[in-house]
Amino acid sequence: MIDNNFDRRDFLKVLGWGGAAVALTGCGNTSVQDGKETVVSYVEAAAYVAPGISTYFNSTCAQCEAGCSVTGRVREGRVLKLEGNADSVINRGKMCGLGQAGVQHHYNPDRVREPLLRNGDKGETITWEKAYELIAQKLNGVSGDNIDFMTGTISGHLKVLLSNYMDSLASKNHFVYEAISPAVQRAANLKSYGVEMPRFHINKAKVVLSFGADFLGAWVSPVHFSQQYAQFRKGSDGQRGVLVQVESKMTLTGANADRWLVVKPGTEGVLALGVINALGLAGLSLPAAVAAMVKPYDKERVSQETGVSTDHLVKLAAILKERSPSLVLLGSAAEGYAHGSQNAAAINLLNQVLGNVGKTIEAAASVPFPQVAPSLGNSAALRMVNNRLADGQTKVLFTYGVNPVFTAPKETNFAANMAKAGFKVAFAHYLDETALQADLVLPLDSALEDWGTHIAEYQPDGVQISIQQPLMEKLHANTRGMGDVLLTLIKKNRAAEYAAFEDYYAYVRTALLQNKRQFADVGVDDEVFWNDLLSAGLVNVAGTSNKLVAKLASEIKLPAAVDTDAKFPLRLIPSVTASLRDGRHANQPWLQESPDPLTTIVWDSWVEIHPKKAAELGIVEGDIVEVESKNGTVKAQAYLFNGIHPDAVSIPLGRGHDAMGRYAKGFGVNPFAILDRVFDDETGELAMHETLVKISKTGKRVIVVKDEGAAGGNQHGKKIAVNIASDQVELSGEA
Amino acid sequence: MKDINEDIAWAKINKDVLKSLESPRKLYWVILAVAIAMISVAVGCEVYQYNMGMGVSNLNNPHVWGLYIATFIFWIGMSHSGTLLSAILHLMHADWRKPIYRFAEAMTTFSLMTAGLFVMVHLGRLWQFYYSLPYPNDRGLWPNFQSPLLWDAMAIFTYLSSSILFLFVGMIPDLAICRDNMHDGWRKKLYTWLSLGWEGTDRQWRNFRITYLTIACFLIPLAVSVHSIVASDFAMSQQPGWHVTSFPPYFVAGALYSGCAAIITLFIILRYTFKFEEYMTLSILKKTVRLTFAIAMIWTYLNAIEFASVWYGHDQPSKDVLIQKATGPYAPFWWGMIFCGSIVPLMLAFKRFQTNIPVLLVTSLLLNLGMWLERWMIVAPTFSHGYYPWTWDHNQWPSWVQWGIVFGSFGWFTLLFMVFCKVFPSVSMYEVKEMVYHRSRATKKLEASGMQAKGAH
Amino acid sequence: MSVTNLLENWSEFRHAHPVGDVPHDPYKWAMSIDLDACTGCNACSVACYAENNLPVVGKEKYAAGHSMHWMRIERYWPVDDTTSLEPATREFPDQGAQFLPMMCQQCEAAPCETVCPVGATNHTPDGLNSQAYNRCVGSRYCSANCPFKVRYFNWYDYPTTENVWPAEMTQQLNPDITLRSKGVMEKCTFCVQRIRAGERSVKNEGRVLKDGEVQTACQQVCPTGAITFGNLIDSESKVHQQWKAQRVELTADEQEKDKEADSGLRGYRILEELRAYPSVMYMERVRESAI
């Protein structure tokens, strides 16, 4: 038993199971001391490490927040490749390109290897002991109110340690920032369904109508949804699922749609209400309040406002009515406006009137252990941190897993505001833009060297706690796991409670053993349980089942027309690509050289312009164009692209780093920088699609570096990639 | 106009030709220096390419072949006219060939050597080139006998060795003359060794004639086969614009064409440089020009046939490639080829140009430019616009490395050729003597019968 | 070197395509790719980089056409009339795009094999188009004759090129396959290292590989399961069943689908008319006709 004097509730809190909705059985035979183990080096070959024979270890992918479980192939003590773990309900043995590149995060030559202390413009190598001392020294006498910790989405025991650490500093200022997050949708879902992120059953739907949700590319849990999509296309009872995508700029999902409908940017909500109206006219019974609300949205008006033809509107309503259940999804393209929440409400309402709630949308189980449940990021956090920095409220700033200097719009002056904080500590893998602004940079273990537990926001079945374990020995002697660092820091304040844990591994192990009964049969030996757990790489708990509540929106206010600006006539759509996301992986060369699926461009940014608009402006492919918003300009090569609304231009996010090493620095431009500060009216999220721009030629022209050849996407009459109409094919007989 | 002045004394022939081994005009040294400079450019490029990898040539996927292969075909083609002049015309008893066949043969040999270099330069792993030869090895590994490229390697080696043999054998009596007239020194030793104890006995002459004729007979089918096989590299492939049945004769015609054009060029240069005006007469030049014109027209005809068969055939990809050649980024070069190959030779139909040396020099160079473009237009457009639209690449352009090596190859050829002409008699003394003898006898006969000699027969 | 070796083994040395007297046994590796499931996400391509030690060539070399993606995802825009030579003229791609994963088609009568002067690329008894890097002299004739242009040449010495595999990156390299030096041709191998390892392991058990025991890297990663790989002569294998259901014959140059106008089938092979007999069957992308 534990010889420290703190009670069981505190103990559970330390270990992350505090406030559990599921009763925890006693911890009778747990021995914390047993947790005192050290990881055996794979280089000092253990019995199971045979030269030339690969061994496989399960862990969790940390490339995005979807929490896919991976199996690392390890040979001679080196991790070679990641595969999907088939036992995971999230990714079922599959992966995406981003996940595959995880090894390049680990082996990246530009990782920070030593703690660095700012000395003028240079970083001076210091020891960890000195770094810890320095932190203690800087924190000394600073009120908890003036200490901010900014992280990306965080869950599991790292989150527990972090919140306990913040608690020990008497600070409540843990800000979770994600530059790209479905935060508006979460709020809207909470209103419509009573949960932030329900479960979606694309595979059970006969029709999926997606308003800009790039579920095959970068939305929420793409590998999981891709598998659902495959089933959806095969059809549940022989009828192939139909995908209609509505957006102003084609995403990967849009490229896979049976019908891609281009809408005037921001009118997604209008279209949703128009479809509801059309459904009512087609004979679907609508609640009276809804019917009254959508009445003004007759097809002529909707068609005029959105640019979708009445014919398509009617067809869309017809197929939605005819083929049930359907599923309406909403993605960043619909959320990214000042009226984003209203758009989202309208789209959710469409799901409700179609009767999809409870059929293709279900409540997800909630995580029974609130302490380890994920803290979800949003962009409002950036606004808060930035305001605090600007006001001088933040004296000490910690950053981990975020790069706000890169992702904050230039107009926020984040970098300058950050300088106002007296002491900035960046926990970093690379010297990214934020780390370069920090006073102290602490090098972290890669995701493949570290321990941890993760719980993803999107849980398809029950709750999966994913285990992260090192797949190999540390590459660099002086990097530390984030958990270890936090443990060391927290020990300074709460030595007694944490003294028992020599390191983060011991902590995680103890924590999981503590809750063993929850995960395994009674009576399983600790060692067996622990080994099984590591071997599986994940553990499933039932979670608390929930029911959705149907709350029909009674009033949805959509702007009459999208405002135009004579000076800035075009709308900028900063697009999110599956591999580069918000730019944190731009230094992984496989991703830089992996062609963008739609334009096939590599290693650079581009400006997508509709050929019609380009002809008006005299722009041809490869022209370097200047995209100017109120807040700045970026210059990039033009790519003529039919899959974009003529009144919009699009630049992908993720490139344009001026730090982060050889593979990221200097490639492309960063559209985050020129975003206007327009926020969603309800949630305060940055409205990513509200930036108005104008474009002009600079007179320079380059050859666009892309995989597509001189023929473009044209097959010249050759039967290479062929499509067939669904009424001409017999799918039921297929193997 | 006479092919040769039948009053030339045999001793004068010896003297004039031997003089070319001693004191050429200054221009010779200028040419030599320029050639060496050109070679050093190519050597520099090749060293760079060897060290860096083939990528520096700007070849890429799908443009895996480029100027190296095009220029290889060009040089192979150029070699053919030597054989044509010496072997075919020898069999046909066209004695006007006699003063010029020696250098034409030398041209054959040296252009083959140059062509061979391009195969090497082209290889990604040139240090392993011998894998493509059927050499004895303990692994029992053979090259792939199905590959036209292997036939190519074999045909070129055979042709090269036969050409050298033919050149050498034909030179033996002249080497003996050199031996007998040369002052002591390394050259005399060389000639002594190479003339194989030639005494000019009847038996030696008889054996010599039989040997020479045999090699000539052997060489003719070989010459045809070599360029047919080069054509097979393309014709046996499956690519649009390449798998053309008429390619072998088309290539052979093209080869003779470029070879004849090159003979005109070299004729003019040698005639001036080595003061061969008396032997390389304008009358012979005129005959060569006429021959060239005829071959040009055959080539044009075969070219037209190729276009027609592609155009009226139902092979859309081949048609696309043809359209691409005429309208795409290669259009200037393709039309340049048509212009230089089919329009410029029409000049040669006019009598007054047939002996106009400046005009002929320019024309012959243009013809060769056209023939070089032809080879490039066979090789490159197919890559830029093949079967698979996704990989079409219309922007590829050879890098300075490719151009540098192509440029230098002309220097290499010139160097070899010019050194040869300085070391070995580039006009066949014994055959010119024969020619003078025959002509004077014929003239005497004609005079006896009271008729005027008409020059050629 | 023995001439008898050459003469006796000549028929073994080269097969045009499977003929009755020498059937594939016990394996014929083949693939089918369902374009209706393929989303064009590029995961397969990245997995291929990871598995097969493909060099990342960087922007400049990519621009020069020196990229090494054994598996490339092609993106086409649908046209109303597939026989038209004109480019797509729709104002918006309202039917989405069409993605096509393209890699070596492992042709049974491979145009690349016959032309290699040194015999560096050969057909294996289990129906793969092999590439012997050590034997390759880099004439690039194979690539010149490949209709699909899926062969990739080492234009530079990537292992020693700056920033291709710097420092720690080398530790990621798959030791089961070599690094290719400059001047050598390479291409998709159907992950031959995995096949051979699988074959060896079951040989010890005295049996042949069962379906699913060997997966290619692209197949394993594919989130939608669009890629099926397996033994075509194993009637239990999914790839066999898919080929059979689509009535695609390995040795035919015209399939049922081409013969019948409304066969309801969607299996086809690319550039079938060239009679290269590819080992990869594609299944057409389906478009909903009601919307």
Side-chain angles (χ1 to χ4, degrees):
Chain A
M1 245 337 263
I2 308 156
D3 44 7
N4 296 341
N5 294 324
F6 60 99
D7 68 16
R8 179 171 146 72
R9 245 179 59 208
D10 284 343
F11 180 62
L12 290 179
K13 213 175 146 205
V14 164
L15 292 177
W17 309 121
V22 175
L24 292 171
T25 45
C27 57
N29 53 4
T30 307
S31 161
V32 176
Q33 273 71 20
D34 283 354
K36 285 184 182 174
E37 283 184 15
T38 45
V39 191
V40 177
S41 159
Y42 298 133
V43 181
E44 289 165 26
Y48 53 87
V49 177
I53 306 286
S54 300
T55 42
Y56 294 84
F57 294 91
N58 285 328
S59 189
T60 301
C61 179
Q63 295 274 92
C64 80
E65 289 74 45
C68 294
S69 297
V70 295
T71 304
R73 178 186 176 210
V74 180
R75 228 179 97 168
E76 283 97 42
R78 297 178 286 126
V79 56
L80 303 177
K81 189 170 185 298
L82 303 175
E83 304 290 359
N85 180 350
D87 295 332
S88 165
V89 291
I90 296 172
N91 60 316
R92 294 185 197 285
K94 298 301 186 180
M95 281 188 84
C96 64
L98 179 60
Q100 285 287 318
V103 287
Q104 294 202 319
H105 150 72
H106 170 63
Y107 289 120
N108 201 292
D110 298 314
R111 276 179 60 188
V112 193
R113 295 157 198 228
E114 306 285 343
L116 296 171
L117 177 66
R118 172 178 293 279
N119 183 2
D121 279 343
K122 284 184 198 134
E124 181 185 299
T125 304
I126 59 169
T127 62
W128 275 93
E129 289 68 32
K130 184 139 183 254
Y132 286 133
E133 256 172 51
L134 202 64
I135 292 172
Q137 191 190 322
K138 295 283 179 184
L139 286 175
N140 191 17
V142 177
S143 151
D145 290 343
N146 299 120
I147 303 170
D148 288 9
F149 212 119
M150 196 181 193
T151 71
T153 298
I154 186 169
S155 67
H157 289 88
L158 196 63
K159 182 193 152 193
V160 177
L161 270 185
L162 177 59
S163 45
N164 289 351
Y165 178 57
M166 293 305 281
D167 199 32
S168 77
L169 294 174
S171 169
K172 292 190 168 54
N173 303 324
H174 174 203
F175 297 99
V176 185
Y177 168 50
E178 288 291 338
I180 300 161
S181 78
V184 172
Q185 144 145 250
R186 284 181 198 131
N189 288 347
L190 196 60
K191 278 191 185 169
S192 313
Y193 311 134
V195 297
E196 287 195 331
M197 190 52 75
R199 249 179 235 160
F200 300 106
H201 298 293
I202 294 169
N203 48 342
K204 289 185 188 159
K206 289 188 174 135
V207 182
V208 169
L209 172 60
S210 160
F211 287 87
D214 187 15
F215 60 85
L216 297 174
W219 186 69
V220 181
S221 195
V223 178
H224 179 74
F225 290 132
S226 292
Q227 290 175 74
Q228 286 197 356
Y229 169 82
Q231 287 175 24
F232 155 83
R233 285 306 201 188
K234 290 254 183 295
S236 45
D237 48 2
Q239 191 176 30
R240 178 180 173 275
V242 180
L243 172 62
V244 179
Q245 183 91 357
V246 176
E247 57 200 4
S248 313
K249 176 252 177 294
M250 185 180 264
T251 56
L252 183 62
T253 310
N256 283 287
D258 292 282
R259 180 63 65 183
W260 183 75
L261 295 174
V262 62
V263 289
K264 204 162 172 17
T267 61
E268 290 83 357
V270 174
L271 184 67
L273 296 185
V275 173
I276 297 175
N277 191 22
L279 279 166
L281 293 176
L284 190 83
S285 65
L286 301 177
V290 174
M293 187 173 63
V294 300
K295 197 149 184 291
Y297 294 92
D298 60 75
K299 59 185 182 186
E300 280 76 22
R301 175 186 162 189
V302 170
S303 172
Q304 201 212 336
E305 284 190 22
T306 63
V308 174
S309 74
T310 53
D311 185 34
H312 276 138
L313 193 63
V314 171
K315 269 193 187 170
L316 187 57
I319 199 169
L320 281 169
K321 182 169 174 291
E322 186 193 321
R323 302 189 186 179
S324 181
S326 56
L327 174 62
V328 184
L329 296 172
L330 102 105
S332 59
E335 294 169 36
Y337 298 92
H339 59 282
S341 286
Q342 300 297 316
N343 268 350
I347 292 162
N348 281 349
L349 183 63
L350 178 54
N351 251 332
Q352 288 165 326
V353 302
L354 283 167
N356 297 334
V357 181
K359 289 180 188 162
T360 53
I361 302 178
E362 284 184 324
S366 48
V367 182
F369 316 108
Q371 268 192 292
V372 292
S375 293
L376 303 172
N378 52 38
S379 63
L382 175 74
R383 203 173 164 190
M384 283 188 266
V385 173
N386 195 37
N387 288 342
R388 287 173 55 80
L389 285 166
D391 298 346
Q393 282 172 292
T394 308
K395 301 253 161 54
V396 178
L397 174 71
F398 295 97
T399 58
Y400 164 65
V402 285
N403 187 1
V405 175
F406 178 75
T407 53
K410 213 176 256 166
E411 202 204 351
T412 60
N413 261 331
F414 189 89
N417 292 338
M418 189 174 158
K420 293 181 188 167
F423 192 58
K424 287 115 12 199
V425 183
F427 299 96
H429 294 105
Y430 318 104
L431 282 179
D432 57 21
E433 287 81 352
T434 304
L436 285 181
Q437 300 292 326
D439 299 302
L440 182 62
V441 179
L442 296 175
L444 296 179
D445 285 349
S446 81
L448 305 185
E449 296 166 336
D450 205 359
W451 289 94
T453 52
H454 296 272
I455 296 176
E457 175 187 17
Y458 186 85
Q459 291 291 344
D461 189 10
V463 172
Q464 177 174 307
I465 301 176
S466 307
I467 312 292
Q468 179 189 355
Q469 64 173 319
L471 296 179
M472 67 179 280
E473 274 290 284
K474 287 205 291 191
L475 275 176
H476 311 296
N478 276 330
T479 59
R480 297 280 182 275
M482 186 64 193
D484 287 314
V485 177
L486 281 176
L487 199 61
T488 312
L489 289 174
I490 201 169
K491 277 179 182 172
K492 307 245 175 203
N493 305 334
R494 294 191 174 165
E497 288 169 44
Y498 289 88
F501 311 112
E502 193 189 19
D503 54 16
Y504 185 54
Y505 164 73
Y507 173 78
V508 170
R509 186 179 191 270
T510 311
L512 287 162
L513 286 177
Q514 171 66 25
N515 206 6
K516 186 174 75 176
R517 298 285 169 79
Q518 190 64 37
F519 309 132
D521 291 338
V522 187
V524 176
D525 177 63
D526 276 0
E527 208 52 42
V528 172
F529 165 74
W530 178 242
N531 284 334
D532 285 352
L533 193 60
L534 292 189
S535 157
L538 53 91
V539 61
N540 286 300
V541 287
T544 324
S545 55
N546 294 311
K547 270 232 153 76
L548 294 180
V549 282
K551 280 184 279 185
L552 292 180
S554 52
E555 199 191 6
I556 294 172
K557 277 185 256 164
L558 292 165
V562 183
D563 33 340
T564 51
D565 187 325
K567 195 166 171 237
F568 299 106
L570 295 167
R571 190 170 288 271
L572 174 68
I573 299 181
S575 60
V576 183
T577 63
S579 51
L580 291 179
R581 308 284 179 105
D582 63 357
R584 67 183 67 174
H585 303 300
N587 59 351
Q588 290 160 19
W590 287 340
L591 300 178
Q592 283 279 11
E593 196 148 309
S594 177
D596 171 66
L598 289 167
T599 62
T600 75
I601 292 171
V602 295
W603 285 104
D604 205 350
S605 299
W606 63 92
V607 183
E608 279 167 27
I609 308 169
H610 194 274
K612 213 166 77 179
K613 181 59 75 177
E616 252 175 56
L617 299 167
I619 292 168
V620 298
E621 182 181 301
D623 273 341
I624 301 289
V625 294
E626 187 175 83
V627 180
E628 183 185 349
S629 79
K630 281 193 286 262
N631 301 307
T633 57
V634 291
K635 285 178 198 167
Q637 56 188 355
Y639 181 82
L640 271 50
F641 186 58
N642 288 69
I644 189 165
H645 195 279
D647 291 339
V649 294
S650 175
I651 307 176
L653 294 168
R655 287 197 174 95
H657 284 278
D658 41 27
M660 241 173 111
R662 66 196 78 182
Y663 297 115
K665 189 179 174 180
F667 292 103
V669 297
N670 179 12
F672 274 121
I674 63 166
L675 293 184
D676 288 351
R677 285 175 81 190
V678 179
F679 299 94
D680 175 54
D681 294 337
E682 288 182 32
T683 58
E685 286 293 294
L686 183 68
M688 298 274 284
H689 292 217
E690 284 285 15
T691 304
L692 297 176
V693 295
K694 66 171 180 186
I695 63 174
S696 49
K697 290 208 285 183
T698 60
K700 266 187 263 171
R701 188 175 293 169
V702 294
I703 291 177
V704 177
V705 183
K706 54 177 183 167
D707 199 48
E708 174 184 64
N714 187 7
Q715 303 179 35
H716 286 262
K718 294 187 176 72
K719 221 181 112 181
I720 289 170
V722 193
N723 68 25
I724 187 166
S726 62
D727 54 3
Q728 285 175 9
V729 70
E730 187 50 64
L731 295 171
S732 56
E734 289 186 0
Chain B
M1 198 156 66
K2 288 178 180 172
D3 283 342
I4 198 155
N5 178 12
E6 56 265 30
D7 298 337
I8 307 179
W10 287 17
K12 180 173 157 48
I13 294 174
N14 279 2
K15 197 180 124 212
D16 286 349
V17 174
L18 289 174
K19 203 166 72 190
S20 76
L21 305 182
E22 302 272 350
S23 56
R25 284 184 212 261
K26 283 222 178 66
L27 181 64
Y28 176 84
W29 301 105
V30 175
I31 292 175
L32 220 54
V34 169
I36 288 169
M38 285 167 85
I39 294 168
S40 42
V41 170
V43 170
C45 289
E46 172 56 19
V47 168
Y48 180 61
Q49 180 179 288
Y50 185 100
N51 284 317
M52 297 298 294
M54 294 301 295
V56 296
S57 65
N58 254 12
L59 289 169
N60 67 11
N61 300 325
H63 283 271
V64 290
W65 288 2
L67 296 188
Y68 298 147
I69 292 288
T71 317
F72 157 75
I73 307 168
F74 173 78
W75 285 114
I76 292 273
M78 193 173 266
S79 70
H80 278 58
S81 48
T83 311
L84 170 80
L85 274 174
S86 47
I88 300 179
L89 295 183
H90 175 70
L91 292 183
M92 291 166 72
H93 297 283
D95 74 346
W96 58 266
R97 68 177 252 287
K98 284 178 175 164
I100 59 170
Y101 85 90
R102 172 74 45 76
F103 87 78
E105 255 177 53
M107 192 179 95
T108 295
T109 306
F110 299 130
S111 58
L112 271 175
M113 285 179 176
T114 315
L117 285 185
F118 273 96
V119 178
M120 299 291 159
V121 166
H122 168 83
L123 282 188
R125 298 209 299 166
L126 115 81
W127 49 95
Q128 309 286 32
F129 78 94
Y130 56 89
Y131 283 180
S132 51
L133 305 175
Y135 67 96
N137 65 89
D138 54 4
R139 294 181 194 175
L141 280 176
W142 290 89
N144 178 13
F145 292 103
Q146 266 183 318
S147 169
L149 215 56
L150 182 77
W151 313 341
D152 230 17
M154 305 247 225
I156 292 165
F157 270 104
T158 315
Y159 189 37
L160 178 63
S161 45
S162 311
S163 294
I164 292 173
L165 198 65
F166 191 48
L167 176 65
F168 169 62
V169 168
M171 227 163 35
I172 290 174
D174 280 357
L175 289 171
I177 298 174
C178 296
R179 173 196 63 196
D180 299 341
N181 291 286
M182 225 13 117
H183 48 75
D184 285 344
W186 66 270
R187 282 216 205 183
K188 194 174 177 93
K189 278 185 201 139
L190 179 72
Y191 298 134
T192 313
W193 186 68
L194 284 177
S195 56
L196 307 177
W198 180 268
E199 296 290 343
T201 63
D202 275 1
R203 188 166 158 270
Q204 278 180 336
W205 274 111
R206 198 164 55 243
N207 290 345
F208 171 78
R209 296 243 175 253
I210 290 165
T211 314
Y212 192 66
L213 191 67
T214 312
I215 302 178
C217 293
F218 178 65
L219 206 55
I220 292 163
L222 206 57
V224 174
S225 81
V226 166
H227 226 53
S228 302
I229 285 170
V230 173
S232 302
D233 287 345
F234 300 94
M236 305 284 267
S237 84
Q238 211 182 8
Q239 296 299 306
W242 282 8
H243 62 275
V244 180
T245 321
S246 64
F247 258 13
Y250 172 60
F251 269 52
V252 173
L256 295 175
Y257 185 9
S258 64
C260 285
I263 284 175
I264 296 174
T265 316
L266 293 178
F267 186 108
I268 293 167
I269 294 172
L270 285 188
R271 185 176 192 267
Y272 176 78
T273 318
F274 293 109
K275 306 169 198 163
F276 281 149
E277 287 86 351
E278 263 187 288
Y279 307 98
M280 299 186 179
T281 60
L282 291 181
S283 166
I284 292 178
L285 183 61
K286 192 160 139 190
K287 289 198 170 72
T288 317
V289 166
R290 284 175 175 180
L291 182 67
T292 308
F293 176 73
I295 294 171
M297 292 303 107
I298 292 173
W299 178 84
T300 304
Y301 168 72
L302 285 168
N303 219 0
I305 283 189
E306 193 214 318
F307 299 158
S309 62
V310 169
W311 191 257
Y312 294 107
H314 288 283
D315 184 14
Q316 191 59 42
S318 299
K319 209 167 159 178
D320 290 346
V321 170
L322 184 62
I323 294 169
Q324 179 66 15
K325 283 178 185 175
T327 61
Y330 288 113
F333 309 106
W334 191 79
W335 288 108
M337 160 196 116
I338 301 277
F339 175 76
C340 294
S342 297
I343 312 291
V344 172
L346 296 178
M347 298 262 292
L348 305 180
F350 297 98
K351 256 195 180 153
R352 69 174 126 149
F353 294 133
Q354 287 173 357
T355 51
N356 184 327
I357 285 193
V359 169
L360 284 178
L361 184 66
V362 172
T363 308
S364 67
L365 287 173
L366 278 179
L367 297 187
N368 258 324
L369 175 66
M371 292 318 292
W372 183 83
L373 286 172
E374 180 221 351
R375 275 55 182 257
W376 190 26
M377 288 306 100
I378 287 169
V379 174
T382 288
F383 288 113
S384 76
H385 205 83
Y387 278 121
Y388 208 76
W390 185 259
T391 60
W392 284 353
D393 174 5
H394 296 165
N395 289 323
Q396 193 264 358
W397 185 248
S399 75
W400 54 268
V401 175
Q402 277 197 66
W403 289 113
I405 291 178
V406 168
F407 174 75
S409 73
F410 287 88
W412 168 250
F413 170 79
T414 310
L415 179 76
L416 290 178
F417 186 77
M418 283 303 184
V419 168
F420 173 85
C421 293
K422 179 81 173 45
V423 176
F424 297 104
S426 50
V427 171
S428 173
M429 292 179 266
Y430 75 92
E431 292 220 55
V432 171
K433 287 173 197 163
E434 274 176 18
M435 186 181 174
V436 170
Y437 173 69
H438 285 301
R439 290 291 166 98
S440 58
R441 265 189 38 181
T443 318
K444 274 173 198 151
K445 239 187 238 167
L446 283 173
E447 274 168 4
S449 58
M451 283 166 71
Q452 281 277 302
K454 281 225 169 146
H457 65 112
Chain C
M1 87 180 169
S2 87
V3 177
T4 43
N5 179 25
L6 176 75
L7 297 176
E8 280 170 9
N9 296 325
W10 180 252
S11 55
E12 293 280 311
F13 181 55
R14 182 82 67 220
H15 273 295
H17 58 94
V19 281
D21 59 325
V22 195
H24 289 300
D25 186 39
Y27 302 113
K28 161 60 205 166
W29 301 111
M31 215 177 240
S32 59
I33 297 181
D34 185 351
L35 299 182
D36 199 34
C38 173
T39 66
C41 72
N42 255 330
C44 50
S45 182
V46 180
C48 185
Y49 272 76
E51 174 71 20
N52 290 304
N53 299 344
L54 303 187
V56 170
V57 300
K59 188 181 177 189
E60 270 174 42
K61 293 191 171 94
Y62 203 106
H66 296 154
S67 63
M68 300 299 280
H69 46 32
W70 284 4
M71 182 162 225
R72 59 174 190 249
I73 308 295
E74 295 165 3
R75 187 272 293 113
Y76 296 102
W77 298 113
V79 285
D80 294 329
D81 176 9
T82 48
T83 58
S84 164
L85 298 179
E86 296 307 311
T89 47
R90 287 164 179 267
E91 189 180 1
F92 297 106
D94 55 355
Q95 295 196 328
Q98 288 187 184
F99 294 103
L100 181 92
M102 174 47 76
M103 64 283 147
C104 174
Q105 304 283 295
Q106 313 285 349
C107 304
E108 282 295 295
C112 55
E113 289 174 11
T114 51
V115 297
C116 175
V118 293
T121 181
N122 290 290
H123 224 61
T124 64
D126 51 357
L128 296 176
N129 174 251
S130 70
Q131 177 76 24
Y133 304 129
N134 276 345
R135 181 69 176 164
C136 178
V137 293
S139 76
R140 309 190 284 287
Y141 201 171
C142 53
S143 173
N145 209 22
C146 173
F148 310 99
K149 294 287 177 257
V150 286
R151 292 181 150 265
Y152 297 91
F153 186 71
N154 282 274
W155 297 105
Y156 295 94
D157 194 38
Y158 292 111
T160 59
T161 303
E162 200 188 355
N163 290 340
V164 172
W165 288 295
E168 299 87 12
M169 288 273 203
T170 51
Q171 297 190 35
Q172 183 274 325
L173 294 170
N174 187 355
D176 289 344
I177 46 174
T178 57
L179 284 185
R180 283 75 64 182
S181 59
K182 74 178 169 197
V184 173
M185 191 61 80
E186 61 183 65
K187 62 165 193 77
C188 165
T189 62
F190 270 3
C191 285
V192 68
Q193 67 278 12
R194 294 184 173 205
I195 297 175
R196 294 292 173 256
E199 282 173 354
R200 277 196 301 274
S201 71
V202 297
K203 207 174 172 186
N204 292 339
E205 299 168 30
R207 63 179 179 93
V208 295
L209 282 163
K210 289 199 286 265
D211 196 35
E213 284 186 315
V214 169
Q215 294 186 62
T216 59
C218 52
Q219 173 196 24
Q220 190 169 9
V221 77
C222 178
T224 58
I227 301 173
T228 308
F229 167 81
N231 184 0
L232 197 59
I233 54 178
D234 170 11
S235 58
E236 298 295 305
S237 73
K238 191 177 172 200
V239 71
H240 175 93
Q241 286 162 4
Q242 282 185 328
W243 281 56
K244 200 173 146 198
Q246 297 297 337
R247 288 191 268 163
V248 172
E249 286 286 332
L250 185 66
T251 53
D253 60 358
E254 194 186 20
Q255 310 295 347
E256 291 293 316
K257 182 177 163 41
D258 308 317
K259 292 178 201 159
E260 273 180 68
D262 26 75
S263 59
L265 301 171
R266 59 193 187 102
Y268 70 104
R269 293 189 294 181
I270 295 173
L271 299 178
E272 183 113 65
E273 68 275 16
L274 296 180
R275 311 187 82 193
Y277 307 100
S279 301
V280 181
M281 175 187 80
Y282 291 88
M283 290 193 273
E284 291 176 354
R285 166 114 213 240
V286 183
R287 295 280 160 190
E288 178 58 42
S289 39
I291 185 80

